[in-house]
Amino acid sequence: MPKPIIAIVGRPNVGKSTIFNRIVGERVSIVEDIPGVTRDRIYSSGEWLNTDFNIIDTGGIDIGDEPFIEQIKHQAEIAIDEADVIIFLTNGRDGITGADEEVAKILYKSKKPVVLAVNKIDNPDMRELVYDFYALGFGEPFPISGTHGLGLGDLLDEAAKYFPKEGEEQYSDETIKFSLIGRPNVGKSSLVNALLGEERVIVSNIAGTTRDAIDTKFTKEDKEYVVIDTAGMRKKGKVYESTEKYSVLRALKAIERSDVVLVVLNAEEGIIEQDKRIAGYAHEAGKAVVIVVNKWDTVEKDEKTMKQFEQKIRDHFLFLDYAPIVFLSAKTKKRTHTLLPMINLASENHSLRAETSVINDVIMDAVAMNPTPTHNGNRLKIYYTTQVAVKPPTFVVFVNDPELMHFSYERFLENKLREAFGFEGTPIRIIARARK
Ligand code: GDP
Ligand code: GDP
């Protein structure tokens, strides 16, 4: 079940990024602690009423050097294309402006639900300012204040009414869903074609097209797969389709629907910043990851080349130390047959459930070997560990005081769990919780 998506639209300076940051909150991102990952603050996740959702600040997507009004229009179109519900943000202090009306015109034409918010209503005396906004034709305007965090609960309550209901995912649990992400021209489409052209691969339906991607279902050796191909949907001829942030957005949506994400690199060009950003999102979404080095045919090799390239990848993607690396060529089909077995492995580990008694043996052995950290004379005590979820495997460690669980100790425990259970290809999560 993919997470619902909220998009914030509105002309500049109404407070979109302020609201975005408020809603996303001070959530500590797992990736942020890890060197080498650049955060891109236009897309993030939030939680409301126990529902996780994703949120897009369309204001962060700048589209070339277009005139300002065109930019806003494109941003509104992106919101319409991508979101389940749109927050149309205005500024109560300015009243309705011409630019607001332009945005409204585009939103009228869409069938997406729109919730109108009037920002910068910093105190109750200012509430009268919102009545004018009924004129925009989107029903009740919700007064909010980004700076003071007022009114956001009511706004999100309203938005949440439009979230899609459970049970809309069309594939069975056993079907392995995977996607290929990477910069343009790294060879994603070629790789999909190579996979589908393999022996004993039976493609059951092409173009189970969703709004955002082409899903191709296939089987090999009685295993069912769906490859989610976003690249195939690129050529819709809209201006914004060529912007980098937009293609990242598309990749993010494919990641959300996947069990396994193939991070595709181009051996010919090496690793660049954009690769890292894309890979960081796969990690943060908690998906299984396989790193694929494509165009291996173009590289002049001796016996050391593969090791050296692998080391370069490890240095650049420190946070993906669990991801296996596959070197191949979609063009010559050399070693493409090694990919599906790797996808299977990553997927199995992603949904692996470890036995509770064994987990606790592993943790107790780990603690015996490397004593728990202390802070101000207090020592971390670990009472009990249990796996609470799969996809990715998630462990809750019951302790005396979660504050004492240092990042480096958590890493140590993670490594011990990995040594014991494998987990190759999947991130694992460890949550320290106070024993009640
Ligand atoms: P964006 O261009 O729509 O993303 O707008 P920003 O989030 O960058 O905000 C524009 C300006 O409005 C900034 O100076 C914010 O501090 C200010 N601002 C945002 N929300 C509020 C609010 O609720 N009240 C007041 N008084 N100012 C706000
Ligand atoms: P995408 O944009 O990531 O989907 O990339 P494409 O699959 O469209 O490939 C981009 C270009 O790279 C095309 O010209 C392909 O023929 C070429 N290409 C793809 N895979 C390989 C490969 O393994 N080796 C070589 N030499 N070229 C490749």
Side-chain angles (χ1 to χ4, degrees), residues 183-190 231 234 294-295 297-298 329-331:
R183 287 180 282 129
N185 286 315
V186 292
K188 298 180 293 297
S189 312
S190 309
R234 256 184 323 224
N294 188 35
K295 307 202 187 182
D297 60 293
T298 62
S329 165
K331 188 178 174 190

Coordinates of all heavy atoms in Angstrom, one line a residue, residues 183-190 231 234 294-295 297-298 329-331, ligand 2:
R183 N 20.2 7.9 -12.8 CA 20.1 9.1 -13.6 C 19.7 8.7 -15.0 O 19.7 7.5 -15.4 CB 21.6 9.7 -13.8 CG 22.0 10.4 -12.6 CD 23.4 10.9 -12.8 NE 24.5 9.9 -12.7 CZ 25.4 9.7 -13.6 NH1 25.4 10.4 -14.7 NH2 26.3 8.8 -13.4
P184 N 19.3 9.7 -15.8 CA 18.9 9.4 -17.2 C 20.2 8.7 -17.9 O 21.3 9.1 -17.6 CB 18.6 10.7 -17.9 CG 18.3 11.6 -16.7 CD 19.1 11.1 -15.5
N185 N 19.9 7.8 -18.8 CA 21.0 7.2 -19.7 C 21.9 6.3 -19.0 O 22.9 5.9 -19.6 CB 21.8 8.3 -20.4 CG 21.0 8.9 -21.5 OD1 20.3 8.1 -22.3 ND2 21.0 10.2 -21.6
V186 N 21.7 5.9 -17.8 CA 22.5 4.9 -17.1 C 22.2 3.5 -17.7 O 23.0 2.5 -17.5 CB 22.4 4.8 -15.6 CG1 23.0 6.1 -15.0 CG2 21.0 4.6 -15.1
G187 N 21.0 3.4 -18.3 CA 20.7 2.1 -19.0 C 19.5 1.3 -18.3 O 19.4 0.1 -18.4
K188 N 18.7 2.1 -17.6 CA 17.6 1.4 -16.9 C 16.6 0.7 -17.8 O 16.3 -0.5 -17.6 CB 16.8 2.5 -16.1 CG 17.6 3.1 -15.0 CD 16.8 4.2 -14.2 CE 16.3 5.4 -15.1 NZ 17.5 6.2 -15.6
S189 N 16.2 1.4 -18.9 CA 15.3 0.7 -19.9 C 15.9 -0.5 -20.5 O 15.3 -1.5 -20.7 CB 14.8 1.7 -20.9 OG 14.4 2.9 -20.3
S190 N 17.2 -0.3 -20.9 CA 17.9 -1.4 -21.6 C 18.0 -2.6 -20.6 O 17.8 -3.8 -21.1 CB 19.3 -1.0 -21.9 OG 19.3 0.2 -22.6
A231 N 10.8 5.2 -16.1 CA 11.5 5.8 -17.2 C 10.6 5.7 -18.5 O 10.5 6.7 -19.2 CB 12.8 5.1 -17.5
R234 N 8.2 8.7 -19.3 CA 8.8 10.1 -19.3 C 8.2 11.0 -20.4 O 8.0 12.2 -20.2 CB 10.3 10.0 -19.6 CG 11.1 10.3 -18.3 CD 12.5 10.3 -18.6 NE 12.9 9.3 -19.6 CZ 14.0 8.5 -19.5 NH1 14.7 8.6 -18.4 NH2 14.3 7.7 -20.4
N294 N 26.1 -0.8 -14.4 CA 25.8 -1.2 -15.8 C 26.9 -0.7 -16.8 O 27.8 0.1 -16.3 CB 24.4 -0.6 -16.2 CG 24.0 -1.1 -17.6 OD1 24.3 -2.3 -18.0 ND2 23.3 -0.2 -18.3
K295 N 26.9 -1.1 -18.0 CA 27.8 -0.7 -19.0 C 29.2 -1.1 -18.7 O 30.2 -0.5 -19.0 CB 27.8 0.9 -19.3 CG 26.4 1.4 -19.6 CD 26.4 2.7 -20.3 CE 25.0 3.3 -20.4 NZ 24.9 4.6 -21.1
D297 N 30.8 -3.3 -20.0 CA 31.5 -3.6 -21.2 C 32.4 -2.5 -21.7 O 33.3 -2.7 -22.4 CB 30.4 -4.0 -22.3 CG 29.5 -2.8 -22.6 OD1 28.6 -2.5 -21.7 OD2 29.5 -2.2 -23.6
T298 N 32.1 -1.3 -21.2 CA 32.8 -0.1 -21.7 C 34.1 0.1 -21.0 O 34.9 1.0 -21.3 CB 32.0 1.2 -21.6 OG1 31.7 1.4 -20.2 CG2 30.7 1.1 -22.4
S329 N 26.3 -5.9 -18.1 CA 26.1 -5.1 -19.3 C 24.8 -5.4 -19.9 O 24.6 -6.5 -20.3 CB 27.2 -5.3 -20.3 OG 26.8 -4.8 -21.6
A330 N 23.9 -4.4 -19.9 CA 22.6 -4.6 -20.5 C 22.7 -4.8 -22.0 O 21.9 -5.5 -22.6 CB 21.7 -3.5 -20.2
K331 N 23.8 -4.2 -22.5 CA 24.0 -4.3 -24.0 C 24.5 -5.6 -24.5 O 23.8 -6.2 -25.3 CB 25.0 -3.2 -24.4 CG 25.1 -3.0 -25.9 CD 26.1 -1.9 -26.1 CE 26.3 -1.7 -27.6 NZ 27.4 -0.8 -27.8
Ligands
GDP2 P1 17.8 5.0 -19.2 O1 17.6 6.4 -19.5 O2 18.5 4.9 -17.9 O3 16.6 4.2 -19.3 O4 18.9 4.4 -20.3 P2 18.7 3.6 -21.6 O5 18.3 2.2 -21.3 O6 17.8 4.4 -22.5 O7 20.2 3.6 -22.2 C1 20.9 4.8 -22.5 C2 21.9 4.5 -23.5 O8 22.9 3.7 -23.0 C3 21.4 3.8 -24.8 O9 22.1 4.4 -25.9 C4 21.8 2.4 -24.6 O10 22.0 1.7 -25.8 C5 23.1 2.5 -23.8 N1 23.4 1.4 -22.9 C6 22.5 0.8 -22.1 N2 23.1 -0.2 -21.4 C7 24.4 -0.3 -21.9 C8 25.5 -1.2 -21.7 O11 25.5 -2.1 -20.9 N3 26.6 -0.9 -22.4 C9 26.7 0.1 -23.3 N4 27.9 0.2 -23.9 N5 25.7 0.9 -23.5 C10 24.5 0.7 -22.9

